[in-house]
Amino acid sequence: MAAAGGGTVKEVRSKAELDNIVADGAPAVLHFWASWCDASKHMDQVFSHLSTDFPLARFLRVEAEEQPEISEAYSVSAVPYFVFFKDGKALDTLEGADPSSLANKVAKVAGSIRPGEPAAPASLGMAAGPTILETVQELAKENGASQHGSQLSPGKGSDITKRLQQLVNSHPIMLFMKGSPESPNCGFSQKVVDILKKVKVKFGSFDILADSEVREGLKKFSNWPTYPQLYCKGELLGGCDIAIAMHESGELGQVFKDHGIEIIDSETGKTEPNGGKGGITDSSGLSAATSDRLRGLVNSGPVVLFMKGKPDEPRCGFSRKVVDILRQERVKFESFDILTDDEVRQGLKVYSNWSSYPQLYIKGELIGGSDIVLEMQKSGELKKVLAEKGIPFGETMEDRLKQLVNSSSVMLFMKGTPDAPKCGFSSKVVNALKEEGLEFGSFDILSDEEVRQGLKTYSNWPTFPQLYYKGELIGGCDIVLEMRNNGELKTSLSE
């Protein structure tokens, strides 16, 4: 595929082809995209222009759903998504529609546009420059909706959202696949079907090839761009690679067990209940060092959640559910990503006598997994336990926002951080404050959707960045730049 300015973007057709290209050690950038995602289309234009500016780097393109083997190899769970290679290794990634960061990361991995010069911010002096600025402005008009992987917005597409919700809840175990369990139309769907049969559970299925509305809508609904997709009790477990890893570790069967999924008796063909168990017991079988480490981790904060992924990037639906509950109750909590540490992942099952994740602890005591936490929230028991344990909760959003805007005399709510802004407007305000020699605090509104939406109402200002001085709103990018140009910025923020 030829880029608009004369560069070349190569469409990768297989993982073997990708491995061969990367193996030669030359700088390379791989763009995972999807035809249904507008943010992907925006970023692909920037990507194509960048290929003109960096002719020595390889620019590669993969349609995430059509190449699931490649997508799963790089843990792609949202689009657009970029992987940066050099010397045969993946050095960096970028998720979301962020033209400025893409340009800078390309410059970092591919070197300077002009030999002998440092790799300056890539939006300057490049053929791609106008496209980058135009795309930043276009995405800003959309109020950052595509900063993260494309998702269905609440209140939009309510009919398809309702239909998808009904589908994922239509069976305790639900598999969205290509083809049917008897005739899978792709190898990845076949693997998941085989696994479900091995663990002897009944499951429903839906052939996404037979309904394009479901096929495209579910990607946004789940924020997962490839198929198959496996759900348990209405919550996304993941795709083929996650199902395989969970099965091989024995965790998949335990998840089903803990959620009361019926298993099929191999002799009679009848189903029988599959109950779970839990509660901390003696950690027999664990080394003293491992037991001490686990004891330290479960007591590392008043409320600790052992989950798959991070609170802002959960890697399974059950972990996402508990994060949402804790945030709804406004409980501060620590978290540990068990996918990053196999010793903790396997050892904690023995230590707690609880065989699946997530696991929630309060003051070092196991509360349980997602179903128990949800039931406790519904019954009011969760608030009671928190109160008995002396855990603060229930702070109003207004209280939190008031505390945040007053956390520093000069406070900037922006996309990204001062060292790595996630949009051009945030970058301009950071530069203006730094040029005036002003010290300031900052908050990345992309890291907290509750603050991001709440601050718009609190300030009656619909866009970001937002700059505050002593708790009072100064304004956004245009106002800050105008004050700087008039010589008013430093004096106004130093009174």
Side-chain angles (χ1 to χ4, degrees), residues 4-21:
T8 301
V9 178
K10 179 177 178 56
E11 198 80 31
V12 177
R13 303 292 182 185
S14 70
K15 188 170 186 301
E17 181 184 15
L18 174 63
D19 292 342
N20 287 335
I21 294 171

Side-chain angles (χ1 to χ4, degrees), residues 286-305:
L286 296 177
S287 68
T290 299
S291 294
D292 288 345
R293 185 184 177 208
L294 293 172
R295 189 176 299 108
L297 286 172
V298 301
N299 286 282
S300 59
V303 181
V304 184
L305 177 63

